[in-house]
Amino acid sequence: MPELPEVESVRRALNKILSSEPKFVSLDRSTLKLRFRFPAKLAEKLRGQRLTTVERRAKYLLFRFGEFTLINHLGMTGSWRPEEPVTRGLQLHEHVRLVFESTQGRSLSIVYHDPRRFGYFDLIETDRVQASRWFHHLGPEPLDLKTFTSEYFYELSRRSAAPLKTFLMNQAVVVGVGNIYASEALFIAGVDPRRKPKSLTNTESEKIVEAVREVLRAAIQGGGTTIRDFVGVDGKQGGYGQALRVYGRAGEKCPRCGSPLMQFKQAGRSTYICADCQK
DNA sequence: CCCAAGACCTGGCGGC
DNA sequence: TGCCGCCAGGTCTTGG
């Protein structure tokens, strides 16, 4: 599911539900393995701790508990849903339930659902998060104007042999851009995803950086994109699918020039372009 | 070190 | 109906 806009939408919704800094009470877990081992002794370590806020870095959710931070990556099909009172066991494809108690003593719980089980959790001491195996190599946040600049992007692009779209999806270059928004951003920028990053001009770098920001902001605004599985915390699909310009639209007319959109594979992933608009 | 392919999973769809 | 291959918002690991 989730590229930056989807994860950010989930983060905002979770923060609303859990805004009272509730105390962690307990945990339920399915016996099935997620992508990696579930962190040991999580319940013991978090018992009685207050969840201060839910943050996001790249495509990760960070549940902040003071001394500890609970990391969650949604993989391809992860989602969170609130649950009023806990009245039932975990259903098929539900893997984790976090139970909290609000300051008014009310029970609050959220349930993690993930059919394909590519998602995962880790519990890390808060001051070691940045240096952890999940975060140490990550590039800048695309919506941070200070670090994700066209100068930065241009400089990095000098030494890459991968195709441009692969380069843009490399989380060491910039985080949060996945398969949908890479195609969308390069269409908006008018640049062919098969180009060598080395061949970009300064102007093209600038266009790409701006296009990435534009499409991610708009997608957050729309609550993300649902291709198949993604649902927000409210149970609804993302609203941005309607606005996609090229992704998933092979054979349809280019919204800019009307010629048919093309699809092909790059590094095993589908890429969509307008061959007339993207040079 | 870099890049592409493989692996990890399930479910839905089209084709035969 | 039923089975088979293919496809899907990611990314760590492996092999060349």
Side-chain angles (χ1 to χ4, degrees):
Chain A
M1 80 160 36
E3 303 180 35
L4 186 149
E6 292 74 34
V7 180
E8 178 62 18
S9 299
V10 169
R11 182 193 75 80
R12 292 179 182 185
L14 287 176
N15 254 335
K16 275 190 187 153
I17 290 169
L18 302 166
S19 61
S20 64
E21 303 203 356
K23 226 187 280 180
F24 176 85
V25 175
S26 65
L27 166 84
D28 294 320
R29 193 152 71 77
S30 76
T31 54
L32 292 172
K33 230 185 72 158
L34 293 173
R35 172 132 192 227
F36 300 106
R37 242 185 81 112
F38 194 79
K41 300 193 176 167
L42 186 140
E44 289 86 335
K45 288 177 178 167
L46 292 187
R47 185 152 296 133
Q49 301 292 308
R50 286 194 179 281
L51 174 64
T52 55
T53 183
V54 184
E55 295 175 4
R56 180 191 57 74
R57 168 76 172 115
K59 300 173 189 171
Y60 293 83
L61 292 168
L62 290 80
F63 295 82
R64 298 292 196 183
F65 286 93
E67 184 188 354
F68 289 106
T69 295
L70 177 63
I71 304 297
N72 169 225
H73 194 292
L74 300 173
M76 292 280 260
T77 55
S79 62
W80 284 97
R81 300 297 311 280
E83 207 177 59
E84 298 298 314
V86 177
T87 55
R88 57 193 182 95
L90 294 172
Q91 311 288 301
L92 183 64
H93 300 317
E94 293 180 348
H95 302 290
V96 181
R97 172 191 283 122
L98 301 179
V99 182
F100 299 91
E101 186 183 295
S102 77
T103 34
Q104 294 82 21
R106 209 158 54 86
S107 173
L108 287 174
S109 63
I110 55 174
V111 175
Y112 179 73
H113 182 270
D114 188 353
R116 288 177 75 181
R117 288 188 274 133
F118 289 164
Y120 50 95
F121 290 81
D122 198 7
L123 187 68
I124 307 179
E125 289 174 49
T126 295
D127 50 19
R128 294 190 188 169
V129 169
Q130 293 313 319
S132 72
R133 60 177 296 205
W134 316 115
F135 291 84
H136 73 94
H137 63 285
L138 295 178
E141 287 286 331
L143 298 180
D144 180 14
L145 305 179
K146 288 264 181 346
T147 53
F148 184 53
T149 62
S150 57
E151 293 79 11
Y152 162 84
F153 191 77
Y154 180 81
E155 286 309 320
L156 259 197
S157 71
R158 299 305 88 187
R159 31 198 167 100
S160 171
L164 177 56
K165 185 190 155 220
T166 307
F167 179 71
L168 191 55
M169 289 174 66
N170 182 346
Q171 303 295 293
V173 174
V174 60
V175 303
V177 180
N179 203 40
I180 295 178
Y181 301 114
S183 278
E184 292 294 308
L186 292 175
F187 172 78
I188 293 169
V191 180
D192 191 313
R194 296 166 291 194
R195 290 263 300 275
K196 293 290 175 207
K198 265 184 230 258
S199 75
L200 292 176
T201 64
N202 274 303
T203 308
E204 286 169 333
S205 293
E206 204 168 315
K207 279 187 180 164
I208 292 168
V209 165
E210 279 168 13
V212 165
R213 287 209 184 94
E214 176 189 332
V215 71
L216 295 181
R217 283 207 199 98
I220 292 169
Q221 199 75 17
T225 299
T226 297
I227 298 303
R228 299 182 174 190
D229 300 276
F230 174 67
V231 290
V233 175
D234 60 4
K236 292 182 184 160
Q237 302 200 333
Y240 193 73
Q242 297 292 328
L244 293 176
R245 292 159 169 88
V246 294
Y247 185 88
R249 298 195 185 282
E252 295 181 32
K253 286 182 176 174
C254 168
R256 186 183 291 154
C257 78
S259 48
L261 299 173
M262 314 299 296
Q263 173 183 11
F264 51 87
K265 295 269 184 194
Q266 290 184 289
R269 316 291 304 275
S270 283
T271 299
Y272 298 85
I273 63 161
C274 171
D276 289 333
C277 293
Q278 294 174 258
K279 299 297 179 190

